[in-house]
């Protein structure tokens, strides 16, 4: 719980803590957090209009107070919440009840619908011109900040889903929320807490980083870093003030700033996910955590590096290791001209794919495909000359193409990677056959394996094949 400090010589007063403010969205059918601060030891009464039942509590020694308000089913009916204490009365107006998600990461989550300079968002104008509506999608955005000490008060505000509000919302988070709203027909609120360029370590508390001892945490060393790479400071300034607000789950788009340090990624992310869940009152791994695979981008000077591929591979390993996690594949969502643009324009597809994970796993859309195919093994099929089999998961109806394939390569025994342009289906079995007559003794197969190695293979449901690099067994 965050703390509101009351100073002995200062005149204390009743206040609310963000994201509790006008326009807020509360999670439906649960005990939702409402919080604030006042004089230590003072009585607080919270009365939501949907029930008219008052909830009473008392501030602690630091002046903090928190109540849990039992929320009704979602609706577009605006409610109000009256808060009394310290001889004052406050009212939170235009409160909606629906589905609430927490969005975080670095710049590909932070980038808004109006984009960055030279980094547009595809289809943004269409949604700005035809916004979903002020009561359908709302987003609270915590401003970018950094601090050596824990900050206790958030400073963002709620934006409504009208044209002006949509223009300034995180693009990925907006498209995620907009699809959820269309599918569920309930208000969707997003708590956006993203810092461009941040590392995983930016979102982990100092005490844990010191326990690992994997980097120099002296002030001199931290000050010498680029601001957005600095460890634990985003956690203190941005995450800490709003951790604990009641949410349904997390969406996360981050990893570019950890490229080149993939060996620690799983350990650090696994700890982060567990800690974040705990800060939101979830010690049973019930809150879903859905990641976005880092997009193809030329990280190396010669354009032939594989550090990006190694980081993506760790992201997939993480999702297999941590309960209730999932990942969205992105290697089909970039154009050749974007090889040096770390913010590719196709954000709608990413938001939609994240929503498909949530709709399938949290909201009962069990027929909705949400998992990308993964390569499980590579082998030489019996009785087939100059052919390679790739066993895949999640292809109940096969693949979307047999010809004109990009990103698929076969390694010869001479050490040459040869592009494979065609495959054949092995229906009804769950594998594909790569036809490579020019490779006499293949030893390995890879797909989308490189910093910038886009692919175009999908299952029949349209979900892209995950990158892989496997030896033939």
């Amino acid at each position: 719980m965050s703390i509101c400090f009351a100073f002995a010589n200062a005149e204390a007063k009743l206040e609310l803590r963000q994201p509790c403010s006008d326009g807020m969205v509360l999670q439906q059918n649960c005990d939702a957090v409402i919080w604030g601060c006042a004089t230590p030891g003072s009585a607080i009464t919270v009365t939501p209009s949907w029930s008219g039942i008052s909830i009473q509590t008392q501030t602690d020694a630091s002046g903090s107070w928190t109540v849990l308000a039992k929320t009704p089913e979602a609706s577009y009916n605006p409610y109000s919440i009256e808060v009394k204490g310290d001889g004052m009365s406050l009212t939170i107006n235009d409160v909606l009840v629906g589905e609430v998600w927490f969005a975080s990461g670095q710049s590909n989550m932070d980038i808004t619908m109006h984009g960055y300079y030279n980094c547009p968002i595809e289809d943004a104008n269409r949604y700005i011109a035809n916004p979903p509506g002020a009561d359908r999608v709302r987003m609270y955005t915590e401003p970018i900040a950094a601090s050596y000490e824990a900050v206790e008060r958030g400073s963002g505000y709620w934006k409504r889903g009208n044209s002006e509000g949509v223009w300034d919302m995180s693009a990925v988070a907006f498209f995620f929320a907009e699809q959820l709203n269309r599918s569920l027909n309930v208000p969707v609120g997003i708590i956006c807490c993203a810092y461009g360029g941040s590392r995983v370590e930016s979102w982990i508390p100092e005490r844990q980083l010191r326990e690992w001892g994997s980097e120099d945490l002296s002030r001199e060393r931290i000050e010498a870093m680029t601001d957005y790479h600095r460890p634990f400071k985003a956690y203190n300034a941005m995450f800490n003030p709003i951790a604990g607000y009641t949410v349904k789950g997390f969406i996360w788009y981050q990893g570019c700033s950890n490229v080149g340090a993939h060996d620690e990624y799983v350990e650090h992310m696994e700890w982060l996910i567990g800690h974040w869940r705990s800060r939101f009152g979830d010690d049973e791994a019930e809150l879903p955590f859905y990641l976005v695979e880092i997009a193809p981008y030329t990280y190396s000077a010669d354009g032939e590096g594989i550090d990006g591929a190694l980081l993506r591979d760790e992201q997939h390993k993480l999702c297999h290791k941590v309960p209730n996690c999932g990942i969205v594949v992105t290697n089909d969502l970039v154009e050749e001209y974007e090889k040096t643009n770390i913010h590719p324009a196709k954000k709608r597809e990413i938001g939609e794919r994240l929503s498909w994970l949530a709709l399938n796993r949290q909201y009962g859309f069990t027929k909705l495909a949400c998992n990308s195919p993964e390569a499980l093994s590579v082998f030489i099929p019996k009785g087939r000359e100059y052919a390679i089999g790739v066993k895949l998961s999640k292809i109940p109806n096969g693949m979307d193409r047999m010809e004109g394939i990009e990103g698929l390569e076969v390694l010869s025994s001479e050490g040459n990677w040869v592009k494979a342009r065609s495959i054949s289906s092995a229906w009804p079995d769950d594998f594909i056959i790569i036809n490579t007559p020019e490779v006499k003794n293949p030893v390995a197969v890879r797909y989308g394996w490189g910093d910038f190695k886009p692919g175009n293979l999908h299952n029949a449901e349209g979900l892209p094949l995950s990158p892989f690099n496997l030896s033939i067994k």
Side-chain angles (χ1 to χ4, degrees), residues 159-382:
K159 302 161 191 168
R160 276 76 164 177
N162 51 28
S163 182
E164 181 178 354
V166 168
W167 181 85
D168 204 30
M169 290 181 180
S170 156
V172 166
F174 167 77
F175 287 124
F176 169 79
E178 195 270 340
Q179 179 62 66
L180 282 188
N181 172 258
R182 282 192 287 124
S183 297
L184 302 174
N185 193 25
V186 300
V188 177
I190 301 291
I191 309 297
C192 187
C193 180
Y195 193 149
S198 57
R199 299 184 296 147
V200 171
E201 295 75 18
S202 305
W203 300 102
I204 292 175
E206 181 180 5
R207 65 181 182 276
Q208 182 60 36
L209 296 176
R210 290 196 180 280
E211 183 176 321
W212 282 328
S214 55
E215 63 179 299
D216 183 354
L217 296 179
S218 66
R219 290 291 178 94
E220 182 181 15
R221 172 57 183 155
I222 292 173
E223 287 300 314
M225 292 181 176
T226 304
D227 57 355
Y228 45 76
H229 280 170
R230 291 170 180 168
F232 69 80
K233 295 185 71 177
Y235 175 90
N236 283 342
M238 298 176 66
F239 177 81
N240 192 69
I242 55 179
Y245 189 81
T246 307
V247 300
K248 186 73 170 183
F250 304 92
I251 55 174
W252 171 267
Y253 195 166
Q254 189 279 338
C256 300
S257 289
N258 285 86
V259 168
H262 57 274
D263 289 343
E264 297 177 334
Y265 193 79
V266 171
E267 178 187 8
H268 289 192
M269 275 299 300
E270 183 179 14
W271 192 92
L272 179 149
I273 293 170
H275 177 71
W276 280 29
R277 283 172 167 164
S278 178
R279 288 294 307 270
F280 281 80
D282 173 30
D283 294 320
E284 304 298 327
E286 293 178 352
L287 291 177
F289 200 103
Y290 297 140
L291 294 82
V292 180
E293 181 188 88
I294 60 169
Y297 173 76
T298 303
Y299 289 98
S300 60
D302 62 3
E304 298 299 321
I306 63 167
D307 281 347
L310 293 171
L311 194 283
R312 290 183 203 103
D313 196 47
E314 294 302 305
Q315 289 181 308
H316 284 266
K317 290 177 182 176
L318 173 73
C319 290
H320 284 291
K321 186 176 184 181
V322 177
N324 211 2
C325 282
I327 190 167
V328 164
V329 176
T330 63
N331 68 353
D332 62 330
L333 299 179
V334 295
E335 304 292 343
E336 182 68 22
Y337 68 84
E338 292 180 307
K339 64 171 58 179
T340 56
N341 181 357
I342 207 164
H343 309 114
K346 293 183 184 296
K347 295 294 190 286
R348 177 180 56 81
E349 293 87 345
I350 292 173
E352 287 179 344
R353 289 174 186 177
L354 285 167
S355 76
W356 296 342
L357 281 166
L359 288 167
N360 177 287
R361 298 187 185 182
Q362 274 66 57
Y363 299 110
F365 286 65
T366 56
K367 297 298 183 184
L368 177 64
C370 68
N371 299 305
S372 277
E374 295 181 322
L376 304 176
S377 62
V378 181
F379 58 96
I380 302 297
K382 292 182 180 180

